[in-house]
Amino acid sequence: VQLVESGGDSVQTGRSLRLSCAVSGFPFSTYCMGWFRQAPGKEREGVAVIDSDGRTTYADYVKGRFTISKDNAQNTLYLQMNSLKPEDTAMYYCAADYWVVYGRRLVLLEYDYWGQGTQVTVS
């Protein structure tokens, strides 16, 4: 199992970034996939999740600014981040699990597989 994030960068407030997570080693299309982030000195927190049917869940602090999507043919997960703020600065991780109950989809303990992260810095 491998999850490899990319797309992180240093950008100015208000700009956009798109993160990618390339996946291998499990049937991507059937898994619940999520983005999480961890800022220095803070706990890792959920950002957005998309399930096998394409249903999405967003944390309140990114609603209306971030969009999660996936390409099953390319085994790739995306996170489009618009109107970035300094408080979005963090290491961003993608995660996967076969099934996560709807009410716990932003809970990191529900996910078995994790990538190594990609850094996003907003100033």
Side-chain angles (χ1 to χ4, degrees):
V1 173
Q2 196 169 22
L3 294 83
V4 180
E5 302 94 335
S6 61
D9 204 350
S10 295
V11 297
Q12 293 183 328
T13 299
R15 303 300 293 266
S16 298
L17 278 177
R18 188 176 81 155
L19 305 184
S20 300
C21 175
V23 167
S24 61
F26 63 89
F28 174 77
S29 65
T30 67
Y31 271 57
C32 191
M33 300 295 302
W35 287 100
F36 293 77
R37 68 186 185 185
Q38 187 167 17
K42 294 189 176 181
E43 293 187 352
R44 195 170 298 188
E45 61 184 9
V47 174
V49 171
I50 186 166
D51 69 11
S52 58
D53 293 325
R55 290 172 295 193
T56 57
T57 303
Y58 293 94
D60 287 344
Y61 34 84
V62 303
K63 277 182 182 176
R65 299 189 298 124
F66 291 10
T67 302
I68 189 171
S69 63
K70 61 177 182 170
D71 184 335
N72 288 334
Q74 298 295 323
N75 282 4
T76 303
L77 178 72
Y78 300 103
L79 184 68
Q80 178 67 42
M81 305 186 296
N82 298 330
S83 302
L84 283 162
K85 305 174 181 180
E87 50 264 46
D88 295 318
T89 294
M91 185 72 78
Y92 282 72
Y93 299 89
C94 68
D97 204 274
Y98 178 68
W99 171 253
V100 181
V101 65
Y102 186 77
R104 292 183 59 82
R105 289 190 172 174
L106 294 175
V107 177
L108 63 95
L109 291 176
E110 296 292 332
Y111 293 82
D112 285 340
Y113 303 129
W114 291 84
Q116 294 300 305
T118 186
Q119 179 67 39
V120 173
T121 302
V122 185
S123 60

